[in-house]
Amino acid sequence: MNDTVVNVRYMVGDVQAAADWYVDNLGFNRLPNASPAFAAVERGPLRLLLSGKASSAGRPMPDGRQPEAGGWNRFQCIVEDLPAEVERLRARGVRFRNAIVTGPGGSQILAEDPSGNVVELFQPAGWF
């Protein structure tokens, strides 16, 4: 078992568009691509598995439920200057679910990939 890499799977509507979005907007690197079924991208120890309906992960469950994109679970990207990063991404057409919110641990905002999956951009408070 490789415990230096964390795999996260996201269901996506368009595998190639999702892979391009993560590479172009958040600095991920491309890994194997079997679009339209599947692609993988990585950033540091995070490997993001992007699965479309044609992938094995996209098959219906025994009870008939369909795997789909757009939930609320997410991974977090740490940034040094959240307002500047939000401005840069908005200029690229990235959608956000909310405005920047600040709490005791820092500030965050939720970006959406082309399929509606969430990525949290987070600027830690000084103690984090």
Side-chain angles (χ1 to χ4, degrees):
M1 182 185 302
N2 182 347
D3 49 347
T4 60
V5 174
V6 174
N7 289 329
V8 172
R9 182 181 307 279
Y10 269 178
M11 300 305 301
V12 298
D14 181 324
V15 171
Q16 190 61 55
D20 292 344
W21 188 89
Y22 284 97
V23 169
D24 295 344
N25 291 303
L26 298 181
F28 278 72
N29 296 309
R30 293 183 196 280
L31 292 174
N33 183 328
S35 189
F38 171 84
V41 294
E42 71 179 356
R43 179 177 165 180
L46 171 62
R47 182 178 299 138
L48 188 56
L49 311 172
L50 304 167
S51 298
K53 289 203 176 281
S55 71
S56 58
R59 294 180 185 153
M61 299 294 105
D63 65 2
R65 287 183 290 166
Q66 298 283 332
E68 61 184 343
W72 288 94
N73 292 325
R74 58 197 182 255
F75 64 89
Q76 187 181 76
C77 291
I78 305 295
V79 299
E80 290 185 23
D81 184 342
L82 186 58
E85 186 65 6
V86 169
E87 183 177 321
R88 180 185 76 80
L89 291 171
R90 278 200 173 115
R92 294 185 54 79
V94 171
R95 295 182 320 244
F96 292 89
R97 285 192 180 177
N98 62 334
I100 294 173
V101 295
T102 301
S107 299
Q108 64 175 280
I109 192 168
L110 303 178
E112 289 187 340
D113 76 8
S115 296
N117 292 307
V118 183
V119 177
E120 180 179 319
L121 304 177
F122 181 74
Q123 180 178 342
W127 62 270
F128 199 84

